[in-house]
Amino acid sequence: MAKNVHNDYKMKFSVDEEYPDLSLHNNHMAKVLTKEMYAKLRSKSTPSGFTLDDCIQTGVDNPGHPFIMTVGCVAGDEESYEVFKDMFDPIISDRHSGYKPTDKHVTDLNFENLKGGDDLDPAYVLSSRVRTGRSIKGYTLPPHNSRAERRMVEKLSIEALATLDGEFKGKYYPLNGMTDAEQDQLINDHFLFDKPVSPLLLAAGMARDWPDARGIWHNDAKSFLVWVNEEDHLRVISMEKGGNMKEVFRRFCVGLNKIEEVFKKHNHGFMWNEHLGFVLTCPSNLGTGLRGGVHVKLPKLSTHAKFEEILTRLRLQKRGTGGVDTASVGGIFDISNADRLGSSEVNQVQLVVDGVKLMVEMEKKLEKGESIDAIIPAQK
Amino acid sequence: MPFGNTHNKLKMNYSSEQEYPDLSKHNNHMAKILTPEMYANLRDKETPSGFTLDDVIQTGVDNPGHPFIMTVGCVAGDEETYEVFKELLDPVIEDRHGGYKPTDKHKTDLNPDNLMGGDDLDPNYVLSSRVRTGRSVRGFCLPPHCSRGERRAIENMAIESLASLDGDLNGQYYALKNMTDDEQQQLIDDHFLFDKPVSPLLLASGMGRDWPDGRGIWHNDGKTFLVWVNEEDHLRVISMQKGGNMKEVFNRFCTGLTRIESLFKDKGHEFMWNEHLGYVLTCPSNLGTGLRAGVHVKLPNLSKNEKFGEVLKRLRLQKRGTGGVDTAAVGGVFDISNADRLGFSEVELVQMVVDGVRTLVDIEKRLEGGQSFDDLIPDQK
């Protein structure tokens, strides 16, 4: 393993001198990283040179978030999760409902295993979407990658996506070549990722060299999209207006499997292991990396005293309609699965389908002035 | 990332073409100079502390250009950066500092008695006067690259030294992390405190890391002498007051700075300085004196005159908005300061400001009277 000079330099200072001040912090990393743990891990680095300080920089720079409990650390490569196990394992356990270092994760991308999901009421469910991320084996991750690595990921992605046809026939738009008008249109369509302004991403180094080798691919119908080199190597998204989550998930699984086949043919499979499932930049996205969600009108339910409790029991989470880091507008919420690791893709989308169906029922009852107590679910 | 160089070895698995940044839309000093050939020559090098070429240029890659100013587009991570990456930084320095050559020598003169005049700028026009510079402590990495341990060590040294100042330099240190929001806002409103880092120029170079750890501001009781700790440089030293008495401001500046330097030396710490680059600072634009001496001055008529830019240029002065760099002017009030840093001494630069601002105010008065000012237009200094 090559030497990490700056890490050696820092070792001249004591642990007390280097340990970050986390006294005002409220994120997963800050809860877990004791001085003793810092002392143990600070001299280590992954084969590509990612260090403990690299992992935690975003969490040191961003003490807390008003809407969400942030993770506060990232991986710079596949090996980060191994080299810094001492820190990542407890964070993973805390974030993923007690997931243990010995647990195994099941991947299930067979859309036929989903029951129902084609009949969410479109008067309430405005749109449905499933996304996940994928990392390409052999390259470091967005917080750490060099321009050449990023460009290689882009090149491989363009090649792979160009082979798709039928309902998946589409086109790649590099961010570098896009006009401002094209870009605004894609942002308004909820297709495009923002220019990085979130301090969470900036502090982790993910915006370096922007917009070099970043881009978006989508099919002609604009129902299947791939983001290249944003927070992960790839983000794969299936979406459409209305409530037919079954169709969204079918397209998601079929498209994802096709893409994976092409990458495997080029000898660049996705990062995956039987403990962590799909390996992604943020520990919160390990496992399935899947967020299946809807934009749904819940003006009454969302102001009900038990709204949060219901979401918790259904294993769902709410966000504003601008995605993470935003607030809801006009009683419309983004409702999605809370879990990522320890349950399969099918399991998670099933929870969304069943849970949203129930919440729409509740909304309808509340509209009629009826109580919802009888249909409040048990903890899933 | 600015922290490790192991990754630099992995990057060498890719060709120089594959790694060379896309600078096609860029307009900063680094982008003008860094050819693919130069990138190929320098990309496998690193300083003893592990700072690499990519670290040097990241801010310039991420920030193609700036609406008001021609940015430098590169930074130093330690003293050795200027040596290891000479091939890039020498031409950047030459371009930025009026043709300063790799063989030139820089003169330091912090004797305030050598300044002529400067105590009589018209306070009806000159609202305030200020002189600032930066200093780096030898043996520590600079803000783009320093670790928390290094930054805290700098802070501790600064606190110790400043605590020894007395008389009209008696003062107090306010660590950023202990400051209340009110204290902080007051200091910002007084033009004393540095902003939380929002400038993408600073953020992209890593200077915002661990904020606000190890950062703070010290000022004397009179609020006329300030030291910023661990912002864009290890230390920024500022002397300022209302009105136009630049002589007094410069007096206090030199006295205070010299005292601080000797306090640091007593503890075995020198400032980074050499006879070619003068004082070594994070941004190549601040090499030499690191000195920006300026005034806030009312020039509503002159600033609208088509010859304003040319007059400033000839006087070797530059304009900024009253919020400092990155801002626009408000209400005809401009921040006018020396354009040069390197190749002139501190006294010479402040002299240019004093003489130049006097001329600008004279021109403003002519324009108020509806008179011509052609006879006042200076030759190129």
mmCIF file of all heavy atoms in Angstrom, chain A residues 253-269:
data_model
loop_
_atom_site.group_PDB
_atom_site.id
_atom_site.type_symbol
_atom_site.label_atom_id
_atom_site.label_comp_id
_atom_site.label_asym_id
_atom_site.label_seq_id
_atom_site.Cartn_x
_atom_site.Cartn_y
_atom_site.Cartn_z
ATOM 1 N N CYS A 253 -36.929 -2.541 -12.421
ATOM 2 C CA CYS A 253 -36.220 -3.816 -12.329
ATOM 3 C C CYS A 253 -35.687 -4.255 -13.680
ATOM 4 O O CYS A 253 -34.533 -4.688 -13.803
ATOM 5 C CB CYS A 253 -37.140 -4.901 -11.768
ATOM 6 S SG CYS A 253 -37.604 -4.590 -10.051
ATOM 7 N N VAL A 254 -36.533 -4.149 -14.693
ATOM 8 C CA VAL A 254 -36.116 -4.603 -16.021
ATOM 9 C C VAL A 254 -34.928 -3.769 -16.513
ATOM 10 O O VAL A 254 -33.913 -4.303 -16.967
ATOM 11 C CB VAL A 254 -37.296 -4.511 -17.019
ATOM 12 C CG1 VAL A 254 -36.824 -4.772 -18.431
ATOM 13 C CG2 VAL A 254 -38.395 -5.497 -16.626
ATOM 14 N N GLY A 255 -35.071 -2.460 -16.395
ATOM 15 C CA GLY A 255 -34.008 -1.565 -16.867
ATOM 16 C C GLY A 255 -32.711 -1.774 -16.115
ATOM 17 O O GLY A 255 -31.622 -1.853 -16.696
ATOM 18 N N LEU A 256 -32.809 -1.878 -14.802
ATOM 19 C CA LEU A 256 -31.629 -2.041 -13.955
ATOM 20 C C LEU A 256 -30.889 -3.335 -14.299
ATOM 21 O O LEU A 256 -29.658 -3.357 -14.401
ATOM 22 C CB LEU A 256 -32.082 -2.053 -12.502
ATOM 23 C CG LEU A 256 -31.113 -1.698 -11.401
ATOM 24 C CD1 LEU A 256 -30.305 -0.466 -11.733
ATOM 25 C CD2 LEU A 256 -31.895 -1.481 -10.114
ATOM 26 N N ASN A 257 -31.657 -4.402 -14.479
ATOM 27 C CA ASN A 257 -31.037 -5.680 -14.795
ATOM 28 C C ASN A 257 -30.340 -5.629 -16.158
ATOM 29 O O ASN A 257 -29.242 -6.170 -16.314
ATOM 30 C CB ASN A 257 -32.073 -6.804 -14.749
ATOM 31 C CG ASN A 257 -32.436 -7.163 -13.306
ATOM 32 O OD1 ASN A 257 -31.617 -7.034 -12.398
ATOM 33 N ND2 ASN A 257 -33.665 -7.583 -13.076
ATOM 34 N N LYS A 258 -30.968 -4.979 -17.118
ATOM 35 C CA LYS A 258 -30.325 -4.834 -18.441
ATOM 36 C C LYS A 258 -28.992 -4.081 -18.315
ATOM 37 O O LYS A 258 -27.987 -4.460 -18.896
ATOM 38 C CB LYS A 258 -31.235 -4.062 -19.397
ATOM 39 C CG LYS A 258 -32.350 -4.866 -20.023
ATOM 40 C CD LYS A 258 -33.045 -4.029 -21.095
ATOM 41 C CE LYS A 258 -34.361 -4.649 -21.536
ATOM 42 N NZ LYS A 258 -34.137 -5.934 -22.250
ATOM 43 N N ILE A 259 -29.019 -2.989 -17.563
ATOM 44 C CA ILE A 259 -27.804 -2.179 -17.414
ATOM 45 C C ILE A 259 -26.707 -2.991 -16.743
ATOM 46 O O ILE A 259 -25.547 -2.974 -17.176
ATOM 47 C CB ILE A 259 -28.093 -0.907 -16.592
ATOM 48 C CG1 ILE A 259 -28.995 0.045 -17.350
ATOM 49 C CG2 ILE A 259 -26.796 -0.191 -16.235
ATOM 50 C CD1 ILE A 259 -29.498 1.195 -16.491
ATOM 51 N N GLU A 260 -27.079 -3.724 -15.699
ATOM 52 C CA GLU A 260 -26.073 -4.492 -14.975
ATOM 53 C C GLU A 260 -25.414 -5.535 -15.885
ATOM 54 O O GLU A 260 -24.203 -5.729 -15.833
ATOM 55 C CB GLU A 260 -26.685 -5.182 -13.751
ATOM 56 C CG GLU A 260 -25.632 -5.966 -12.958
ATOM 57 C CD GLU A 260 -26.024 -6.211 -11.508
ATOM 58 O OE1 GLU A 260 -27.223 -6.092 -11.179
ATOM 59 O OE2 GLU A 260 -25.110 -6.524 -10.711
ATOM 60 N N GLU A 261 -26.223 -6.158 -16.734
ATOM 61 C CA GLU A 261 -25.670 -7.146 -17.675
ATOM 62 C C GLU A 261 -24.587 -6.533 -18.545
ATOM 63 O O GLU A 261 -23.550 -7.145 -18.788
ATOM 64 C CB GLU A 261 -26.767 -7.654 -18.602
ATOM 65 C CG GLU A 261 -27.495 -8.879 -18.118
ATOM 66 C CD GLU A 261 -28.686 -9.181 -19.015
ATOM 67 O OE1 GLU A 261 -28.487 -9.227 -20.256
ATOM 68 O OE2 GLU A 261 -29.795 -9.337 -18.472
ATOM 69 N N VAL A 262 -24.865 -5.327 -19.054
ATOM 70 C CA VAL A 262 -23.900 -4.691 -19.954
ATOM 71 C C VAL A 262 -22.608 -4.365 -19.208
ATOM 72 O O VAL A 262 -21.505 -4.581 -19.713
ATOM 73 C CB VAL A 262 -24.482 -3.418 -20.588
ATOM 74 C CG1 VAL A 262 -23.484 -2.799 -21.538
ATOM 75 C CG2 VAL A 262 -25.781 -3.726 -21.310
ATOM 76 N N PHE A 263 -22.719 -3.844 -17.983
ATOM 77 C CA PHE A 263 -21.518 -3.529 -17.205
ATOM 78 C C PHE A 263 -20.720 -4.797 -16.905
ATOM 79 O O PHE A 263 -19.492 -4.803 -16.952
ATOM 80 C CB PHE A 263 -21.885 -2.821 -15.900
ATOM 81 C CG PHE A 263 -21.966 -1.325 -16.019
ATOM 82 C CD1 PHE A 263 -23.177 -0.696 -16.283
ATOM 83 C CD2 PHE A 263 -20.828 -0.538 -15.886
ATOM 84 C CE1 PHE A 263 -23.246 0.688 -16.408
ATOM 85 C CE2 PHE A 263 -20.896 0.846 -16.011
ATOM 86 C CZ PHE A 263 -22.111 1.461 -16.279
ATOM 87 N N LYS A 264 -21.431 -5.879 -16.625
ATOM 88 C CA LYS A 264 -20.727 -7.136 -16.309
ATOM 89 C C LYS A 264 -19.942 -7.621 -17.516
ATOM 90 O O LYS A 264 -18.826 -8.125 -17.388
ATOM 91 C CB LYS A 264 -21.733 -8.209 -15.890
ATOM 92 C CG LYS A 264 -22.130 -8.157 -14.439
ATOM 93 C CD LYS A 264 -22.938 -9.392 -14.042
ATOM 94 C CE LYS A 264 -23.327 -9.313 -12.564
ATOM 95 N NZ LYS A 264 -24.631 -9.961 -12.321
ATOM 96 N N LYS A 265 -20.546 -7.445 -18.695
ATOM 97 C CA LYS A 265 -19.860 -7.861 -19.930
ATOM 98 C C LYS A 265 -18.540 -7.124 -20.101
ATOM 99 O O LYS A 265 -17.605 -7.642 -20.686
ATOM 100 C CB LYS A 265 -20.751 -7.578 -21.146
ATOM 101 C CG LYS A 265 -21.534 -8.794 -21.616
ATOM 102 C CD LYS A 265 -22.054 -8.609 -23.031
ATOM 103 C CE LYS A 265 -23.552 -8.370 -22.939
ATOM 104 N NZ LYS A 265 -24.243 -8.078 -24.136
ATOM 105 N N HIS A 266 -18.502 -5.888 -19.643
ATOM 106 C CA HIS A 266 -17.263 -5.093 -19.730
ATOM 107 C C HIS A 266 -16.352 -5.353 -18.541
ATOM 108 O O HIS A 266 -15.395 -4.628 -18.327
ATOM 109 C CB HIS A 266 -17.601 -3.600 -19.783
ATOM 110 C CG HIS A 266 -18.108 -3.134 -21.107
ATOM 111 N ND1 HIS A 266 -19.416 -3.285 -21.508
ATOM 112 C CD2 HIS A 266 -17.471 -2.534 -22.144
ATOM 113 C CE1 HIS A 266 -19.567 -2.782 -22.722
ATOM 114 N NE2 HIS A 266 -18.408 -2.325 -23.139
ATOM 115 N N ASN A 267 -16.683 -6.355 -17.741
ATOM 116 C CA ASN A 267 -15.895 -6.678 -16.549
ATOM 117 C C ASN A 267 -15.896 -5.590 -15.482
ATOM 118 O O ASN A 267 -14.948 -5.480 -14.720
ATOM 119 C CB ASN A 267 -14.442 -6.991 -16.916
ATOM 120 C CG ASN A 267 -14.327 -8.407 -17.430
ATOM 121 O OD1 ASN A 267 -15.015 -9.299 -16.945
ATOM 122 N ND2 ASN A 267 -13.489 -8.610 -18.419
ATOM 123 N N HIS A 268 -16.939 -4.805 -15.473
ATOM 124 C CA HIS A 268 -17.083 -3.840 -14.388
ATOM 125 C C HIS A 268 -18.447 -4.022 -13.760
ATOM 126 O O HIS A 268 -19.377 -3.288 -14.051
ATOM 127 C CB HIS A 268 -16.937 -2.405 -14.917
ATOM 128 C CG HIS A 268 -15.522 -2.016 -15.166
ATOM 129 N ND1 HIS A 268 -14.651 -1.704 -14.145
ATOM 130 C CD2 HIS A 268 -14.822 -1.905 -16.314
ATOM 131 C CE1 HIS A 268 -13.470 -1.407 -14.673
ATOM 132 N NE2 HIS A 268 -13.545 -1.528 -15.972
ATOM 133 N N GLY A 269 -18.558 -5.012 -12.884
ATOM 134 C CA GLY A 269 -19.820 -5.228 -12.196
ATOM 135 C C GLY A 269 -20.056 -4.135 -11.173
ATOM 136 O O GLY A 269 -19.248 -3.224 -11.008
#
